[in-house]
Amino acid sequence: MFKINSVPKEPVRRLFTGGFSQMGAVKRDIDRRTYNVLQDNIDYYADKIPEVKQFAKELKTLNPKDLGTICDTLELNSYHALLTKVEANVDKAYSKTLREKLIPQMVKASKENPEGMDLINAIINNTDSTTSKYALHVMSGGVLNDKSLAHQMAATTKVVPDIAKETLSGGYTMDLSKQESFMSFIKSMVNKDTKSDKITSLFRDVVPFTEKRPETFEIDVLGYLTSKADVEDVRARLKMLPKVLEGIGDKFKDFDLVKYLTKSDKS
């Protein structure tokens, strides 16, 4: 009599299912994997990654959405574009970060700060693999478990597609300048001084206005995000702004858009 060793099933992947991996801003389909499939995925990765094995039982107690996000982070680790030495270094740093920091942080975030998991999910669903890996590596310093930033994380999650479009469009640069720009936005928004209502307002009110105008505006993003001005006042000022711009003529070069929009700021 003999025993056949159980071999974990190959994981059901969602991000890389063959073909060319898109670069820049992307739009991934929603996760349709069943909870049983996600648990099988964890068994597969636990068989190969000691840190996953260590948390396997706990991982299987998480809600399906977060378990799906964790499976996505593990799938990211198994995909290597290796187009340049820079991307190879991102892959190496991400793999180490995932094993040593992200897995326990994601388990804790799922239970205590789900807004952190939602933000990870939004990043993976709207950016290419290099950007996702770079972002998660940068975010592994503990921010995912900082409950004091939950409101800012929730608001940032809503505008991740806008940030990706703003920072990741255009041709391949062979460096991390676009990823750095993407994370500069994320850091500005997931910040204790940022007012969460300004996060969505930036991309729902301010940016759409500037895109319809012939002028080129310099936007002090951090200044706007930390302003105490009421969003309704900002919207009212935007309605008046076309006439204001008509009146200033050549003085536009000295016009400070954010200062104008937040003029009612009582700080």
Side-chain angles (χ1 to χ4, degrees), residues 64-81:
K65 181 181 177 182
D66 290 347
L67 188 58
T69 300
I70 290 172
C71 285
D72 287 343
T73 65
L74 293 165
E75 184 180 343
L76 277 172
N77 189 52
S78 67
Y79 178 83
H80 306 286

Side-chain angles (χ1 to χ4, degrees), residues 7-11 13 41-53 77-78 99:
V7 178
K9 298 178 182 178
E10 281 286 322
R13 295 178 172 86
N41 281 10
I42 292 298
D43 287 336
Y44 172 86
Y45 290 115
D47 190 55
K48 299 183 177 300
I49 304 174
E51 291 79 7
V52 178
K53 185 175 183 179
N77 189 52
S78 67
R99 296 193 313 272

Side-chain angles (χ1 to χ4, degrees), residues 134-201:
Y134 180 86
L136 295 180
H137 171 67
V138 172
M139 292 167 63
S140 67
V143 68
L144 296 174
N145 301 135
D146 190 342
K147 293 186 286 187
S148 70
L149 296 173
H151 290 301
Q152 287 90 340
M153 287 181 179
T156 303
T157 294
K158 298 176 182 177
V159 298
V160 166
D162 301 285
I163 301 172
K165 179 182 176 183
E166 186 74 23
T167 60
L168 304 178
S169 60
Y172 183 51
T173 59
M174 296 189 70
D175 59 21
L176 296 176
S177 57
K178 291 184 179 182
Q179 287 71 29
E180 291 167 355
S181 180
F182 177 84
M183 281 310 297
S184 177
F185 268 96
I186 297 293
K187 289 177 180 179
S188 294
M189 293 176 177
V190 184
N191 182 306
K192 64 181 178 64
D193 295 322
T194 295
K195 307 299 183 288
S196 56
D197 63 338
K198 295 298 191 313
I199 294 173
T200 50
S201 175

